[in-house]
Amino acid sequence: MKRRWLFLFAFLLVPFSRMQASEVFSFVEGQDSKYIGKFVSIFTDPTGKLGLKDVSGQRTLFKSCKEDVPNLGLSQANRWIRFSVKNLSDQERLVVNLSHPNIDEVTFYRRYEDGSVDSSRVQLGKRSEAVVYPHQFYLFEIDIKKNQQVECYFKLFSNTQLSVPISIYSTEGILQPLLTTDIFSAIYIGLMLAMILYNIFLYFSTREPHYHIYVNYVFWVAIAQMAVLGLLNRFLIVENTWVASRLLTFSGAMSGIAAIFFVKSFLQTAKDSPRFNILLNIFLMGYAVAIALLIGGFIAPAHKMVNVVAGGGSTIVLVLAFELSRKKFRQTRYFLFAWCVFLIGVLVYVLKDYNVLPYNFFTLRAVQIGAVFEAILLSFALGDKINIYRKEKDESQARELAISLEHARLIREQNVVLEQKVEERTRALTETNESLQVTLTHLKEAQSQLVQAEKMASLGQLTAGVAHEINNPINFVTSNVGPLKRDVNMLWETLEEVERIALTEDLSLSAKRSKILAYKEEMDIDYLKTEIDFLLKGMHDGAYRTAEIVKSLRIFSRVDEDVFKYADINEGLESTMVIIGSLIRDGIDVKTRLGELPPVECHSGKLNQVFLNILTNAVYAINKRYPEKKGGELSIETGVNEDETVFIKISDNGIGIPAEIQDKIFEPFFTTKGVGEGTGLGMSIAYNTIARHHGKIEIDSEVGSGTTFKLVLPVNQPK
């Protein structure tokens, strides 16, 4: 039902008075195919939702065309083209050539006499099996025998100006027009490339910025015309409809921008014509708005705007060139002539679209021909301008030479006085330099002493932590040695007594057994065995704990080499926590959430020093807020970010860091601790260490609530 209403709506849009059937195009073997626009009929679907079933057979929907090449203008409606082909040749396959390369979407339907329908669909930026010939034109084959007739439909959608040049060839005959088109394209690209390379050579030879701007302009003109010819989508193989649908308009806008910059540079509008310079800036803004619309998805409005700005800008440039030619004709004559040639090419191309001029090879490529001549003439204009500049420069240099000779005489007279002053100044600078060298030596010695002091402070913490951690299990072992020795002696005594009873000859076997059992009960052997097992287990646990502490110490204090090596960050954190175990009193609750981390390329020993500095500062802040009481919390968390980096988050609920000093904590010698409690180098060393690892440190702190340090490190160091 919905499709019927759409069909009725489209049907009512077409006046009955202009509806008529088109003639059948007859293909005769050996004749050169021309454009068959007068054999087609056209229908515009403003709804964009009608299909072949809706429009086929409804001849009243279509309007006959009076032109060889229909010009359908700029519209975002679907356009339907209908025509019939009758084959009067011996060929059994014909090729329909739609030689407009910048149509966003083309669907070609073939309805055969038996009622069967075949379709092919091609979109800009997408590969399609319907593309039989590797060319920028839309080429579709028709299987048709002699005297057979096929009804064909084109369904077209384009965001840019849409003309429909349709021609029909045999499979052999299509090769000649395609070859002619490619030869012209190759000549055009070759000439433009030659102009670009030649002027690049001139730029590097002369270092004149005009050549750089000219090369940029010619490059974008070449790109824009290649887009018009469909060569960009063909050779770049843009597999993206978003990009492909915008290439033509974007390249046109960029060529316009490059043209305005070249005009501003060549004609020196900022100096010689400020009002025109303002107008050119307005046109630049117009191109910028068009590009913004293009990126935002408003392709048709952007295309219209580029055309309007290009037309207005070309007219303004022409008027400007005529205006300036009256003041300095020699410098602008080539430019004026080149611009006129290009505009004539554009005018021929536009008049062709409106059927004022015939649609042929020359008018179709008038813009490219004009662009080549313009590039050559502008190169001449640029060379002539540079020659004028050089002549003026030579005259100026001659004047400056005379002046410089006079200055040389004055300089010679002043040299004697200056040499005396230089000698005096040199002696003063030498003395100052020696003084600075001595000061620098003192500063380096002071720096080395401070860094050594920081290392000794860390070593003191390390020694205290290790001593405390090892002392507990060692004490446990030593306290078990005495009882174990006593129990072993009792076992030896029991063994000797059992041996004495067993060797007594005047006792019977039952008497010996009774005496041995009585002695074992007296010595409480079962309890003795249990106690020995308990003491040995305690000594084993103490020795194992000591070994674990030594392992943590070895991990923490490993010596870094010059190269980065992969290490386990979680293992380094755990070893650091063991080292500072003596600093964490019972009132501090430690929570660790260590994620699964990949091995990280780093200097693990230096990172352990960073962890030690941050953790000791966190414990210090907690103790300041909760002295001798519970409530302190220390949290350690690790994990992996989405950008192939890992993070280490160390949080405390201590006194926090005031906002006004958060930017200073990484400065050398800055500390909030009392005298003798810190050197002020710990966080500076930590910052520099993380920076050398191409990481970063983030701080989130609030006074009275606590502080969080987040370290972010890449898994792999950049090469």
Side-chain angles (χ1 to χ4, degrees):
M1 180 63 70
K2 184 177 180 181
R3 186 176 291 274
R4 290 182 180 179
W5 281 107
L6 291 173
F7 171 75
L8 180 61
F9 175 72
F11 179 81
L12 294 175
L13 289 177
V14 184
F16 286 96
S17 60
R18 302 183 65 181
M19 300 174 189
Q20 56 185 3
S22 300
E23 298 180 8
V24 176
F25 174 77
S26 298
F27 180 80
V28 179
E29 187 172 4
Q31 71 175 18
D32 294 332
S33 177
K34 298 181 180 179
Y35 297 114
I36 64 168
K38 294 181 180 179
F39 292 89
V40 307
S41 54
I42 304 168
F43 165 61
T44 300
D45 173 18
T47 66
K49 298 181 179 180
L50 298 181
L52 180 64
K53 291 183 179 180
D54 300 317
V55 301
S56 62
Q58 303 295 330
R59 310 234 171 190
T60 55
L61 290 176
F62 288 84
K63 178 179 69 175
S64 295
C65 178
K66 305 293 184 182
E67 306 157 354
D68 289 332
V69 178
N71 183 7
L72 305 183
L74 184 61
S75 173
Q76 291 188 289
N78 283 339
R79 311 299 184 91
W80 287 85
I81 308 295
R82 186 184 64 82
F83 60 93
S84 296
V85 180
K86 186 172 183 179
N87 184 15
L88 301 180
S89 69
D90 293 330
Q91 299 288 334
E92 295 189 354
R93 178 171 294 173
L94 302 180
V95 179
V96 178
N97 178 16
L98 176 57
S99 54
H100 187 305
N102 291 299
I103 305 176
D104 291 80
E105 185 175 338
V106 177
T107 307
F108 182 59
Y109 299 95
R110 313 169 231 353
R111 180 187 291 275
Y112 295 98
E113 293 178 344
D114 60 359
S116 62
V117 177
D118 188 13
S119 66
S120 304
R121 183 169 178 262
V122 181
Q123 284 183 284
L124 276 180
K126 285 188 176 181
R127 291 185 178 272
S128 174
E129 296 180 356
V131 178
V132 180
Y133 299 88
H135 203 269
Q136 64 267 24
F137 294 160
Y138 297 97
L139 303 168
F140 302 95
E141 292 184 339
I142 304 176
D143 293 325
I144 180 171
K145 295 181 179 180
K146 188 173 183 179
N147 295 323
Q148 189 177 13
Q149 182 172 319
V150 176
E151 187 176 39
C152 302
Y153 292 85
F154 271 115
K155 179 184 176 183
L156 309 176
F157 174 78
S158 179
N159 284 301
T160 57
Q161 183 78 18
L162 179 59
S163 59
V164 190
I166 303 174
S167 52
I168 300 178
Y169 297 87
S170 64
T171 54
E172 294 82 7
I174 188 63
L175 300 178
Q176 182 59 42
L178 296 185
L179 180 61
T180 303
T181 299
D182 287 346
I183 290 174
F184 173 83
S185 300
I187 293 173
Y188 171 74
I189 295 173
L191 289 173
M192 297 299 279
L193 183 60
M195 296 306 302
I196 290 173
L197 295 177
Y198 173 68
N199 284 277
I200 287 177
F201 172 76
L202 291 179
Y203 168 72
F204 284 109
S205 299
T206 63
R207 294 296 177 180
E208 287 287 346
H210 294 294
Y211 283 112
H212 175 268
I213 299 173
Y214 168 79
V215 167
N216 181 63
Y217 167 58
V218 175
F219 171 78
W220 281 111
V221 168
I223 291 296
Q225 294 308 313
M226 288 176 67
V228 171
L229 295 173
L231 299 177
L232 290 183
N233 284 318
R234 174 181 175 183
F235 293 117
L236 295 181
I237 313 178
V238 181
E239 291 290 338
N240 187 297
T241 56
W242 193 95
V243 175
S245 63
R246 289 162 171 79
L247 270 179
L248 178 63
T249 305
F250 176 76
S251 60
M254 290 303 298
S255 67
I257 292 173
I260 290 176
F261 277 111
F262 176 73
V263 170
K264 288 162 69 74
S265 170
F266 186 88
L267 298 180
Q268 295 181 330
T269 56
K271 180 180 70 174
D272 295 337
S273 184
R275 289 182 300 174
F276 277 108
N277 192 66
I278 293 174
L279 281 175
L280 293 177
N281 289 335
I282 292 174
F283 285 112
L284 279 177
M285 293 174 60
Y287 281 122
V289 171
I291 292 176
L293 290 173
L294 193 64
I295 295 174
F298 303 98
I299 302 177
H303 187 76
K304 290 180 180 178
M305 191 164 193
V306 168
N307 289 340
V308 171
V309 174
S314 301
T315 305
I316 290 297
V317 170
L318 190 61
V319 172
L320 173 61
F322 275 111
E323 179 70 20
L324 293 179
S325 66
R326 295 185 299 177
K327 299 179 182 179
K328 36 186 180 181
F329 173 73
R330 182 177 176 185
Q331 296 186 29
T332 59
R333 57 181 177 176
Y334 283 113
F335 179 87
L336 185 60
F337 188 42
W339 204 256
C340 288
V341 169
F342 181 69
L343 290 183
I344 290 172
V346 173
L347 181 62
V348 170
Y349 184 83
V350 172
L351 292 178
K352 170 265 301 178
D353 284 339
Y354 291 96
N355 297 300
V356 177
L357 294 176
Y359 197 103
N360 55 36
F361 185 87
F362 174 76
T363 58
L364 183 61
R365 293 159 180 82
V367 176
Q368 290 83 42
I369 296 172
V372 169
F373 280 105
E374 181 201 27
I376 296 172
L377 291 172
L378 285 179
S379 181
F380 290 157
L382 199 55
D384 186 61
K385 187 179 183 70
I386 298 302
N387 290 333
I388 294 173
Y389 281 163
R390 286 181 176 176
K391 183 178 179 181
E392 294 175 351
K393 183 178 180 181
D394 291 340
E395 294 174 354
S396 175
Q397 286 177 344
R399 291 191 299 269
E400 291 176 357
L401 180 60
I403 296 172
S404 64
L405 291 174
E406 178 64 20
H407 288 169
R409 184 184 62 81
L410 297 174
I411 290 171
R412 284 193 299 271
E413 294 176 356
Q414 296 295 324
N415 277 343
V416 177
V417 177
L418 289 175
E419 286 176 1
Q420 294 176 354
K421 292 184 177 180
V422 167
E423 289 178 1
E424 295 174 359
R425 184 60 178 163
T426 301
R427 285 194 298 270
L429 288 174
T430 302
E431 295 174 358
T432 304
N433 192 25
E434 292 175 353
S435 176
L436 289 174
Q437 190 65 35
V438 172
T439 304
L440 180 61
T441 301
H442 292 331
L443 287 174
K444 288 183 177 179
E445 292 175 355
Q447 182 184 21
S448 299
Q449 292 173 0
L450 287 171
V451 172
Q452 187 64 25
E454 177 65 21
K455 289 183 178 179
M456 293 303 294
S458 299
L459 182 59
Q461 291 180 344
L462 174 65
T463 304
V466 171
H468 177 81
E469 290 298 322
I470 292 181
N471 191 48
N472 288 335
I474 290 298
N475 286 340
F476 196 65
V477 172
T478 55
S479 64
N480 286 356
V481 170
L484 180 62
K485 184 177 181 181
R486 181 200 62 204
D487 292 346
V488 170
N489 289 333
M490 292 176 66
L491 284 176
W492 285 114
E493 292 175 1
T494 302
L495 183 60
E496 291 175 355
E497 180 63 22
V498 169
E499 183 181 9
R500 186 188 63 80
I501 295 173
L503 296 176
T504 302
E505 296 180 355
D506 55 351
L507 292 177
S508 64
L509 182 61
S510 60
K512 290 179 181 181
R513 183 181 295 109
S514 298
K515 283 183 175 290
I516 290 172
L517 291 175
Y519 187 78
K520 287 175 63 179
E521 184 176 354
E522 178 184 352
M523 298 298 293
D524 199 357
I525 294 301
D526 293 335
Y527 174 77
L528 192 61
K529 289 170 58 180
T530 302
E531 185 177 32
I532 289 174
D533 291 340
F534 177 77
L535 292 174
L536 287 174
K537 183 178 182 302
M539 295 176 70
H540 176 270
D541 292 343
Y544 177 78
R545 176 60 180 162
T546 303
E548 287 297 310
I549 294 170
V550 172
K551 177 183 176 183
S552 297
L553 177 61
R554 186 175 64 254
I555 292 171
F556 177 83
S557 59
R558 60 179 55 161
V559 177
D560 288 322
E561 300 177 357
D562 292 336
V563 296
F564 289 95
K565 290 188 176 180
Y566 287 94
D568 187 347
I569 296 296
N570 287 339
E571 188 180 53
L573 279 168
E574 291 172 346
S575 68
T576 306
M577 288 300 296
V578 171
I579 298 304
I580 68 167
S582 61
L583 299 179
I584 302 175
R585 54 184 176 80
D586 293 339
I588 299 177
D589 182 18
V590 179
K591 299 178 180 179
T592 58
R593 294 188 296 276
L594 304 182
E596 294 185 4
L597 303 183
V600 176
E601 191 176 9
C602 63
H603 290 308
S604 58
K606 291 183 175 59
L607 287 183
N608 291 339
Q609 183 67 39
V610 172
F611 302 152
L612 177 65
N613 290 340
I614 296 176
L615 287 168
T616 53
N617 285 343
V619 174
Y620 176 85
I622 293 172
N623 290 333
K624 281 291 185 180
R625 185 180 179 188
Y626 300 99
E628 303 299 333
K629 61 179 180 179
K630 294 184 178 181
E633 294 181 359
L634 177 63
S635 173
I636 304 172
E637 180 182 357
T638 62
V640 181
N641 297 316
E642 295 180 355
D643 58 349
E644 295 187 355
T645 59
V646 299
F647 69 86
I648 303 97
K649 188 183 295 184
I650 300 174
S651 305
D652 66 75
N653 65 339
I655 57 176
I657 305 174
E660 60 270 15
I661 68 171
Q662 288 185 15
D663 295 335
K664 300 180 181 180
I665 64 173
F666 296 118
E667 295 178 2
F669 311 116
F670 179 83
T671 180
T672 58
K673 298 179 181 179
V675 177
E677 293 184 334
T679 63
L681 290 175
M683 294 309 297
S684 175
I685 294 173
Y687 179 84
N688 292 329
T689 300
I690 297 301
R692 282 194 293 271
H693 283 75
H694 299 90
K696 60 181 178 179
I697 302 180
E698 300 174 357
I699 306 174
D700 182 15
S701 182
E702 184 178 349
V703 176
S705 296
T707 303
T708 296
F709 281 87
K710 184 178 181 182
L711 314 181
V712 180
L713 296 169
V715 174
N716 302 300
Q717 291 297 316
K719 304 302 182 184

